[in-house]
Amino acid sequence: MSIILDHVNYIYDEDTAMAHAALIDVNLEIPKGQFIGLIGHTGSGKSTLIQHMNGLVKPTSGNVYFDGKDIYDSDFDKKALRAKVGLVFQYPEHQLFEMDCFKDVCFGPRNLGLPQKEVELRAYEALKQVGFDDAYFYQSPFDLSGGQKRRVAIAGVLAMKPEVLILDEPTAGLDPKGREDILNLIAKLHDEMGITVILVSHSMDDVADYVQRIIVMNKGRVFLDGEPKEVFRHYKELEGIGLAAPAVTYVMQELKEAGFDVDTEATTIAEAKNEILKVFGKC
């Protein structure tokens, strides 16, 4: 399974005076099982891009392929695609609507036409996968904290048993502890389930410790695409488009400039710690 975007362009309000390009000649391959960070400032095209991956938005030109098939072929099953490529919206309130959390998570698998017992089993398993407390199963999702709402929203997608999990700004509005909890949950799901994860964010610090690949969007184009170490080498260019490398990158650069023999490509706190301890060991 892979998702391929081939020369994808998208123009909002095409053929009007308000027309503007949201995506410009985007070429990407998302292979099975990869953990990807999709980064960009507001208006960079990242949210429009992910909506192309499960057919919510059709390209103005270009093609989108899932598992080798064009998703806009007349015989392609888009309902099946949206079960396999699950999207968790930035604001869980846009996704939650039932009277209680359990019913909300049941909604997706019920729409697949599954027997009621299978629907409820999937919902239960999904809520447990995201660490949701049984005591809140029959509580209104709108009475929950921001972090709990996100867990229910993620569970609602997991109950569909997707092959790809896309999360649009899943830590927006959360405090530092809540952010860490959600990011650790997403990493755990990737490790245990082996599914493809695309984590959308404007924060390099949110993705630095977790992802295998970073795609940076800028003005509708793919600006950078590579492993974290490769992308963070271009921290000056990232600053030029309104983004910043993780704090660790700046700390290591400053230590290097101060004369300490550290590896400036350390991207995580653990890697930076090891580099600094090696320097002190030499001293």
Side-chain angles (χ1 to χ4, degrees):
M1 184 288 304
S2 68
I3 298 173
I4 295 174
L5 292 93
D6 181 30
H7 295 288
V8 167
N9 294 275
Y10 185 73
I11 300 174
Y12 279 111
D13 301 317
E14 191 178 16
D15 299 324
T16 74
M18 302 295 291
H20 66 281
L23 296 177
I24 303 170
D25 198 32
V26 173
N27 295 283
L28 288 171
E29 180 172 2
I30 311 297
K32 180 179 180 180
Q34 199 167 54
F35 195 162
I36 296 170
L38 180 60
I39 307 296
H41 54 74
T42 300
S44 63
K46 58 188 188 298
S47 292
T48 304
L49 176 60
I50 59 174
Q51 290 174 36
H52 279 74
M53 294 182 184
N54 70 350
L56 286 177
V57 175
K58 184 177 182 179
T60 303
S61 63
N63 301 89
V64 180
Y65 299 93
F66 180 80
D67 205 13
K69 298 176 183 176
D70 190 323
I71 69 171
Y72 288 101
D73 282 349
S74 57
D75 61 345
F76 190 88
D77 186 349
K78 286 216 185 56
K79 184 176 180 180
L81 171 69
R82 287 166 189 157
K84 292 178 180 177
V85 182
L87 173 58
V88 181
F89 293 105
Q90 178 175 353
Y91 301 106
E93 293 83 1
H94 294 174
Q95 199 165 328
L96 306 174
F97 58 91
E98 288 281 9
M99 295 293 291
D100 64 58
C101 298
F102 190 73
K103 285 180 182 175
D104 216 297
V105 179
C106 284
F107 179 81
R110 183 177 292 116
N111 267 9
L112 296 177
L114 299 172
Q116 183 62 19
K117 186 175 286 188
E118 174 69 10
V119 167
E120 293 181 356
L121 179 60
R122 283 194 181 202
Y124 179 80
E125 289 177 343
L127 285 164
K128 299 311 288 182
Q129 280 178 307
V130 301
F132 195 70
D133 194 315
D134 295 33
Y136 298 109
F137 273 32
Y138 300 103
Q139 186 168 328
S140 168
F142 301 104
D143 293 337
L144 303 176
S145 68
Q148 288 173 320
K149 286 178 186 175
R150 280 177 171 80
R151 288 177 189 269
V152 176
I154 294 169
V157 173
L158 291 179
M160 306 280 281
K161 298 200 178 295
E163 297 175 20
V164 181
L165 178 63
I166 304 173
L167 304 108
D168 191 1
E169 299 277 6
T171 63
L174 298 181
D175 61 27
K177 176 65 165 60
R179 285 174 53 199
E180 183 179 6
D181 287 346
I182 290 296
L183 291 169
N184 285 337
L185 167 63
I186 295 165
K188 180 172 177 282
L189 293 172
H190 174 258
D191 291 342
E192 293 182 353
M193 300 175 66
I195 59 176
T196 306
V197 174
I198 302 173
L199 174 60
V200 181
S201 179
H202 62 274
S203 168
M204 290 293 188
D205 282 302
D206 273 1
V207 302
D209 286 341
Y210 300 93
V211 304
Q212 300 162 323
R213 172 187 176 191
I214 294 175
I215 299 167
V216 181
M217 297 294 295
N218 182 49
K219 296 181 179 178
R221 298 180 184 273
V222 175
F223 182 74
L224 292 170
D225 181 2
E227 294 181 357
K229 290 181 188 299
E230 180 182 346
V231 169
F232 297 151
R233 285 189 201 119
H234 301 277
Y235 71 98
K236 292 292 188 184
E237 291 97 318
L238 291 171
E239 290 173 350
I241 64 168
L243 297 173
V248 165
T249 298
Y250 294 105
V251 169
M252 301 309 283
Q253 289 289 340
E254 289 179 12
L255 286 171
K256 189 75 170 181
E257 290 167 9
F260 294 99
D261 185 21
V262 295
D263 180 3
T264 57
E265 292 193 355
T267 58
T268 68
I269 292 174
E271 289 173 348
K273 172 186 170 184
N274 289 336
E275 283 297 311
I276 293 168
L277 287 175
K278 277 197 293 184
V279 169
F280 277 99
K282 290 176 183 176
C283 295

